[in-house]
Amino acid sequence: MRRLLRLSFGSSDRRRDVERELRTHIDLRTEELIAAGMAPEAARRQAEDTFGDYRAIAADCTSIREHRDRERSRRGSLDALGRDLRYGARMLLRRPRLTAVALLTLTAGIGATTGLFSVVYALLLRPLPFPQDELLVRVGEGSVATGESGSGVSIPLAEQFTAESRTLQSGGYRLDLQVQVLSGSEPRNAAAAALSPGAFAALAVAPALGRLPARDEHDNGGTGVVLISYGFWQSHFGSAPDVLERTVQVNNSALPVIGVMPAGFIYPSETTELWLPAPRLPEQMRNRAVHLVEFVGRRHANATLDDVQLDLQRVYERGQQAEPGSDSGHRVEVMPLRRWMVGDSRAAVLMLFAAAALVLLIACANLAGLQLAQVAARRQELAVRTALGAGRWALVRQLATEALLLAAAGCTLGALLAPAVQSLIVASYPGGLPFTTQMRIDGRVLLFAIATGLLAVLLFGLLPAIQAMRLRGVSAIQTGFLRATEGVGRQRARRTLVVAEVALAVVLVMGAALLARSFALVLSKPAGFSAEQLLLLNVSLSRDRRSDQDVIRFYQEVVPRLTEVPGVIGASGSSALPISSGDSHGDLTIEGGVFAAGAAPGTSYRRVLPTYFRTLQIPLIAGREFDARDSGKEPFVVIVNETLARRHFGTPSAALGRRIKVGVPANEPWLTIVGVVGDVRNESLEANDEHATYEPHPQRPWRTMQMVVRTNRDPYRVLPAVRAALRELDAAALISDVSTMTERISGSVAPRRFSTQLLLSFALLALLLAALGIYGVATHMVHERRRELSIRMALGASGALIRRLVFRQAAWLAGLGALLGSVAALVLVRFVRRLLFEVSPADLTSLAATVALLAGVTLLAAYLPARHAAATQPASILRE
Amino acid sequence: MPGSDLFSGTLDLLILKALSLGPLHGYAIGRWIREATGEELKIQEGVLYPALHRLERRGLLEEEWGVTDTNREAKFYRLSPAGRRELRQQQTSWQRHVAAVGAALALTRA
């Protein structure tokens, strides 16, 4: 400090010093000359002459001294810094347990939050691989009457959007396709996307090699061309430079490769490997009621999402006026493309990030409490340093240095831990997260780690530093009174910390309780069928089976053939098995019934093979199952679910014989209801499939069916025989996606399970930390008040009374924290409403469970200090 | 900077030598140099001071305000341990330098 002052005094001081010195020289010279007999003035003049250019020399000397002072002070500060750091490190090492705990806490906390941050950043903030990606929007349709949303749009509407929109600079539609490609000699499934010219324009990404499809390649539809992904180019063509002259075998055609998309290009998901110009589809599919495609557009920079929504809604209504009746009563939904691509994982990941941050906060509060306790214990050390002239500022600097050392170490180790945390999240998030190729630990993420470390340091280093400032007196000998009054401030600080910790922990526990309840409720929902010992596999017929007759025949033969396999109790198939999202939906038309515009209920539909319901053990409530009669000739038949039957026909038996249409009325034939079956959770355990219809396979023969085989032993043991049987019927059929129904159900709830488990872990950790905080405060309190407690005991207070005192103190703190936490929880939990299932955010059971858990933990935490207080001998305390 | 400017190097060496016999103030150092070199080196007296300050900045000298025998306040200089080492080094290299130049001058042949 003194050095700083000296430096700032600067030139004037130094200059004076130098001039004094030089003046002395001249004076001495003058004296000498006078002593030799010269006259005083002459002597002085002589002396000044022989001296030289006084001003120049003085200036020179002054600047030399200035440089020297600056060098010295710089070296001094560096020395002081080095001293502080070394001393700080030594002090930290002298309390290894505390330092280890702090370091571990910081590493884990910073590592976890940083790892989660990198995931959050990639999902929500990092720019997508499109120029100005924030301008991209996904447009869909929803029903005003039934509240359904998230549906795609029809091709005519998409073309209308492209042509008539004022707020979009470009836009087009996309059709997702599953195709077979020939990789070497093995066919495999691949995800492809067919895009209209407007969609290519909206994405505005130029291929790394080659070009985008030309106009005529779009219009023609016949001469197919294909763009491949960078990864596909690497794996399929070995990054061959002549790829633009090669072809890819897609389904039955050899498509020339016209371009390779850049590395990192993702649309619509990371699994998409091929992009094609959108083919011209048959007229039935170009119907307004068929919501076949996804629309993507690029809005003008000055158009907001609301502007786009209004604009496109107007376009939609104009279309309705031109062709009334179809696709009526819907509203246009516009959302940023990123939000649509990230989907549900957004809420879960954000929640986990918030949870990790909260746990870090609680941990820092604990550390702060520990440091505060340390201030008292280190008073001796600090007093000695003060006596040696360190001053209060030096003490604060000392504590700050230690905190910074811890933070630096914690940040470094945490940053090293972060990639592991990130990989863990990515690997264990079921179904995979989008944009995983974009997740990496880079500059921004590291910056976050440093910021977190600094914040942590501020939180747990600031309080003890403030307390150190308040240290009164330098004498190492303190009276008990002084000690007590100093302790009060620290006690208050520690108690506030504990209340805050408990509040935060309560928020987490409440959240975890709500999620746990949701999870339990999901699992408790009856699926509507029996899920045990079901083997599932996808069968795609080979290209040899060309005609519909071939396909129908295969699937007619397959059921009896599979039933012959030893271990198989029953076999069937469906175009979409239960617990598979991605069911087909269509509008429902009932003979003799009319719905208001837009209020037509949707229903899911699928093709099934005979004995489907028996195999899955779905109860048959009325009528019959499909059998050999239903060979695809008229009259067409259908089986509906119970809810549909009751809602529209009164009773299941009343539904038999009535007729319905599924899909666009103009395109679809009448279907006669021949059976009613029980409700099944076809989409997922969470969504109730209101209406479901089943048609026999021959009515709409699809080449790919999901087979289901019920076995009387472990399903996988039967798999080889089943495969062999299938190959007997079609040697080149593609068999894929083998699993069991139990696995599929487990997989469908896996994301929910993942979030719940992780949040539960965080919550328990938070509770443990809060308990440690309570324990610490209770111990501290017992220690500080031991004289008072001993007097009480000497005057006859029982051990139970003493224990109750301690418990009451702990309960008071925990209660206050619980109250604050509950209020905070009720407010914050609204943010995770999307993750809850049939549980309201203000669920009382969860609240009660949380409070009960907290009470138990508090009692446990206060138990040891209470017992210790009641067990101490009053005499020994009073004798101190 | 020793060696780069022959003159300033010489001056530094003389200053170090002057102080090797005990602390002196600036004027006394100048007088010592004059007397010890037999009045051969007549330097402008003021030039001494920047040299002294540079040596102090390099840590070869230590300075301190004191009182002369005529009761005048003056700044005294003293060799630091580093200065002592530097003096020894400089002395040795100076002697070697002189010997080398002398040997070259003594050559009667090219």
Side-chain angles (χ1 to χ4, degrees):
Chain A
M1 188 64 107
R2 248 170 277 133
R3 247 176 268 117
L4 267 168
L5 289 170
R6 214 177 315 144
L7 207 53
S8 59
F9 262 94
S11 352
S12 56
D13 210 29
R14 251 174 258 129
R15 178 81 179 209
R16 236 176 299 144
D17 204 61
V18 163
E19 296 210 0
R20 242 169 71 196
E21 186 180 4
L22 300 184
R23 280 271 141 224
T24 310
H25 180 104
I26 296 180
D27 291 346
L28 286 171
R29 191 57 156 135
T30 312
E31 262 176 30
E32 211 179 271
L33 289 172
I34 292 177
M38 217 183 258
E41 292 91 51
R44 181 151 285 274
R45 241 175 296 127
Q46 168 93 313
E48 281 171 0
D49 280 344
T50 49
F51 187 80
D53 186 350
Y54 177 83
R55 253 204 299 250
I57 290 173
D60 199 5
C61 289
T62 312
S63 91
I64 292 174
R65 292 191 78 75
E66 196 177 304
H67 284 223
R68 154 209 184 253
D69 283 344
R70 213 175 292 153
E71 280 168 14
R72 294 257 166 102
S73 90
R74 209 179 314 151
R75 225 176 305 141
S77 331
L78 279 171
D79 281 346
L81 185 67
R83 258 203 313 276
D84 274 343
L85 286 175
R86 258 171 294 144
Y87 190 70
R90 234 197 336 248
M91 282 296 107
L92 286 175
L93 289 172
R94 201 175 289 183
R95 297 166 292 149
R97 254 176 309 168
L98 183 62
T99 307
V101 166
L103 204 57
L104 207 66
T105 309
L106 283 175
T107 306
I110 295 178
T113 36
T114 306
L116 275 165
F117 176 77
S118 80
V119 172
V120 168
Y121 183 69
L123 284 183
L124 305 177
L125 297 170
R126 197 189 289 278
L128 295 179
F130 316 111
Q132 288 188 291
D133 67 292
E134 69 277 8
L135 296 179
L136 288 172
V137 294
R138 181 257 180 197
V139 181
E141 274 186 71
S143 165
V144 177
T146 65
E148 290 167 33
S149 84
S151 150
V153 300
S154 62
I155 295 183
L157 185 58
E159 287 172 344
Q160 241 192 307
F161 286 157
T162 310
E164 298 174 30
S165 155
R166 285 191 298 232
T167 51
L168 297 178
Q169 41 176 303
S170 53
Y173 61 84
R174 177 190 92 244
L175 189 59
D176 289 322
L177 307 165
Q178 280 284 329
V179 298
Q180 273 189 34
V181 294
L182 211 57
S183 204
S185 56
E186 276 299 306
R188 69 170 174 86
N189 287 335
L195 302 175
S196 74
F200 276 114
L203 296 177
V205 175
L209 290 176
R211 58 177 179 83
L212 293 178
R215 191 84 223 182
D216 59 350
E217 280 160 346
H218 277 288
D219 294 339
N220 225 325
T223 49
V225 292
V226 70
L227 287 134
I228 60 176
S229 73
Y230 203 82
F232 192 87
W233 177 45
Q234 287 176 318
S235 60
H236 198 244
F237 288 108
S239 306
D242 67 340
V243 65
L244 296 179
E245 295 153 32
R246 312 267 289 266
T247 66
V248 179
Q249 194 76 10
V250 176
N251 284 348
N252 290 337
S253 339
L255 299 180
V257 176
I258 58 164
V260 177
M261 296 309 273
F265 177 73
I266 298 170
Y267 185 72
S269 81
E270 282 172 312
T271 54
T272 313
E273 296 177 271
L274 307 166
W275 294 271
L276 310 135
R280 184 117 195 130
L281 294 172
E283 270 311 304
Q284 312 151 288
M285 294 181 145
R286 297 181 55 86
N287 190 298
R288 272 185 196 270
V290 177
H291 298 197
L292 201 58
V293 296
E294 286 282 327
F295 187 86
V296 61
R298 178 179 286 272
R299 58 184 169 89
H300 287 298
N302 54 7
T304 68
L305 288 176
D306 287 332
D307 293 338
V308 176
Q309 202 276 331
L310 286 171
D311 177 34
L312 295 183
Q313 184 76 24
R314 248 178 268 131
V315 172
Y316 162 79
E317 276 155 21
R318 248 177 281 144
Q320 283 300 298
Q321 286 178 329
E323 293 177 35
S326 55
D327 192 31
S328 54
H330 292 160
R331 66 183 289 277
V332 171
E333 300 169 338
V334 176
M335 74 166 80
L337 182 66
R338 165 174 237 125
R339 161 122 14 146
W340 178 82
M341 283 172 96
V342 168
D344 279 335
S345 59
R346 178 177 190 269
V349 169
L350 275 177
M351 178 195 73
L352 291 175
F353 175 66
L358 282 181
V359 170
L360 182 61
L361 272 177
I362 298 177
C364 286
N366 253 354
L367 284 176
L370 286 172
Q371 292 278 64
L372 277 176
Q374 283 296 313
V375 169
R378 294 178 67 182
R379 191 184 317 140
Q380 293 281 30
E381 168 216 331
L382 296 170
V384 167
R385 288 198 80 194
T386 319
L388 289 176
R392 248 181 291 166
W393 177 243
L395 297 182
V396 174
R397 207 175 60 214
Q398 177 59 46
L399 290 170
T401 316
E402 286 179 29
L404 274 167
L405 275 173
L406 278 176
C411 269
T412 317
L413 292 173
L416 290 173
L417 185 64
V421 171
Q422 179 196 287
S423 309
L424 189 67
I425 303 283
V426 166
S428 50
Y429 194 90
L433 287 168
F435 306 146
T436 49
T437 51
Q438 310 275 63
M439 289 179 194
R440 50 182 175 272
I441 310 287
D442 66 354
R444 255 175 272 247
V445 175
L446 283 176
L447 215 65
F448 175 82
I450 294 172
T452 313
L454 285 175
L455 190 68
V457 150
L458 206 68
L459 286 175
F460 81 79
L462 194 65
L463 270 173
I466 296 176
Q467 284 296 319
M469 294 273 277
R470 295 225 203 98
L471 271 182
R472 249 166 293 180
V474 297
S475 166
I477 306 164
Q478 307 262 341
T479 66
F481 177 73
L482 256 179
R483 240 201 309 243
T485 48
E486 276 193 22
V488 163
R490 269 197 305 282
Q491 265 286 52
R492 215 196 325 257
R494 286 199 79 180
R495 280 202 287 248
T496 318
L497 282 174
V498 167
V499 169
E501 285 182 46
V502 171
L504 290 174
V506 161
V507 170
L508 282 177
V509 172
M510 182 74 175
L514 287 172
L515 265 132
R517 273 211 79 191
S518 299
F519 189 47
L521 277 168
V522 167
L523 288 180
S524 73
K525 289 292 168 191
F529 63 97
S530 168
E532 282 85 46
Q533 301 200 301
L534 286 175
L535 178 67
L536 311 176
L537 23 69
N538 275 16
V539 175
S540 291
L541 294 189
S542 67
R543 292 170 286 149
D544 299 336
R545 301 241 164 190
R546 291 196 179 274
S547 71
D548 280 356
Q549 280 310 309
D550 285 338
V551 173
I552 294 176
R553 199 179 20 248
F554 174 87
Y555 283 109
Q556 277 174 334
E557 291 168 4
V558 85
V559 170
R561 179 66 192 85
L562 285 179
T563 328
E564 286 170 20
V565 172
V568 172
I569 305 175
S572 186
S574 166
S575 54
L577 286 175
I579 318 290
S580 63
S581 43
D583 264 355
S584 309
H585 284 81
D587 285 341
L588 184 65
T589 312
I590 300 196
E591 190 174 40
V594 174
F595 300 108
T603 178
S604 62
Y605 61 87
R606 54 197 63 72
R607 321 276 175 250
V608 299
L609 299 178
T611 75
Y612 176 74
F613 303 99
R614 191 162 56 234
T615 307
L616 284 176
Q617 292 179 12
I618 300 172
L620 183 66
I621 295 177
R624 64 169 179 85
E625 275 222 42
F626 296 134
D627 52 39
R629 278 178 274 175
D630 313 301
S631 52
K633 301 194 207 18
E634 302 210 26
F636 298 128
V637 293
V638 70
I639 292 177
V640 300
N641 71 334
E642 192 178 349
T643 303
L644 192 157
R646 284 191 195 279
R647 188 168 298 172
H648 298 288
F649 303 107
T651 68
S653 35
L656 296 176
R658 300 291 299 274
R659 302 207 298 174
I660 63 170
K661 283 194 184 189
V662 177
V664 180
N667 293 346
E668 298 297 322
W670 284 111
L671 309 168
T672 312
I673 300 178
V674 296
V676 178
V677 293
D679 289 346
V680 171
R681 302 239 153 196
N682 276 310
E683 285 244 7
S684 71
L685 284 179
E686 300 182 26
N688 197 1
D689 203 19
E690 294 265 306
H691 296 150
T693 63
Y694 307 83
E695 290 172 60
H697 177 258
Q699 256 169 231
R700 209 86 57 114
W702 282 14
R703 309 175 66 84
T704 301
M705 292 288 274
Q706 301 181 16
M707 305 301 296
V708 56
V709 177
R710 189 175 284 284
T711 63
N712 61 8
R713 57 190 79 154
D714 173 30
Y716 283 113
R717 287 183 44 204
V718 178
L719 176 61
V722 165
R723 261 195 218 268
L726 286 167
R727 293 233 181 270
E728 265 181 50
L729 294 174
D730 182 354
L734 186 62
I735 298 171
S736 63
D737 292 327
V738 179
S739 71
T740 66
M741 186 56 86
T742 347
E743 283 170 10
R744 180 178 284 206
I745 292 181
S746 178
S748 77
V749 295
R752 180 175 287 285
R753 184 190 306 126
F754 175 77
S755 307
T756 310
Q757 279 174 337
L758 217 53
L759 189 59
L760 214 57
S761 323
F762 279 130
L764 288 176
L765 189 60
L767 211 55
L768 179 68
L769 289 172
L772 280 174
I774 296 175
Y775 171 79
V777 161
T779 310
H780 197 181
M781 179 208 102
V782 163
H783 182 78
E784 296 275 316
R785 291 173 64 179
R786 61 188 182 284
R787 295 180 78 84
E788 172 210 331
L789 293 173
S790 305
I791 293 172
R792 280 185 192 245
M793 282 178 72
L795 291 178
S798 68
L801 186 74
I802 303 293
R803 274 201 296 274
R804 229 178 303 153
L805 265 172
V806 179
F807 280 129
R808 211 191 359 227
Q809 168 79 272
W812 165 241
L813 290 176
L816 193 59
L819 193 66
L820 290 171
S822 306
V823 170
L826 287 173
V827 168
L828 292 173
V829 155
R830 271 162 219 300
F831 290 111
V832 296
R833 207 205 302 260
R834 295 193 65 200
L835 297 169
L836 301 181
F837 178 74
E838 293 186 3
V839 173
S840 98
D843 183 49
L844 286 174
T845 320
S846 303
L847 188 61
T850 307
V851 171
L853 192 60
L854 182 68
V857 162
T858 309
L859 275 173
L860 235 92
Y863 175 69
L864 277 175
R867 206 180 66 163
H868 179 79
T872 39
Q873 296 296 344
S876 58
I877 303 288
L878 294 169
R879 231 181 284 140
E880 276 179 16
Chain B
M1 284 109 287
S4 63
D5 177 10
L6 197 57
F7 176 67
S8 72
T10 314
L11 183 57
D12 286 353
L13 182 54
L14 289 171
I15 292 174
L16 291 175
K17 182 63 187 176
L19 294 175
S20 68
L21 304 167
L24 294 170
H25 56 75
Y27 187 76
I29 295 172
R31 196 172 49 209
W32 183 91
I33 291 177
R34 253 184 298 134
E35 289 168 8
T37 57
E39 305 278 334
E40 268 298 320
L41 288 183
K42 277 205 182 55
I43 51 172
Q44 277 212 309
E45 298 180 2
V47 171
L48 193 57
Y49 285 91
L52 281 169
H53 284 131
R54 268 193 282 270
L55 285 171
E56 196 268 337
R57 176 178 165 191
R58 283 170 59 196
L60 300 175
L61 301 182
E62 284 161 6
E63 63 180 28
E64 194 178 25
W65 279 99
V67 174
T68 68
D69 29 358
T70 53
N71 257 333
R72 200 178 269 283
E73 235 190 1
K75 192 182 266 191
F76 283 79
Y77 292 90
R78 166 184 55 222
L79 273 188
S80 73
R84 236 169 259 287
R85 276 197 299 273
E86 180 76 6
L87 173 61
R88 269 200 305 274
Q89 255 175 329
Q90 290 290 340
Q91 221 164 345
T92 324
S93 71
W94 171 267
Q95 276 152 1
R96 238 184 297 147
H97 173 88
V98 162
V101 173
L105 292 176
L107 286 178
T108 52
R109 228 144 355 149

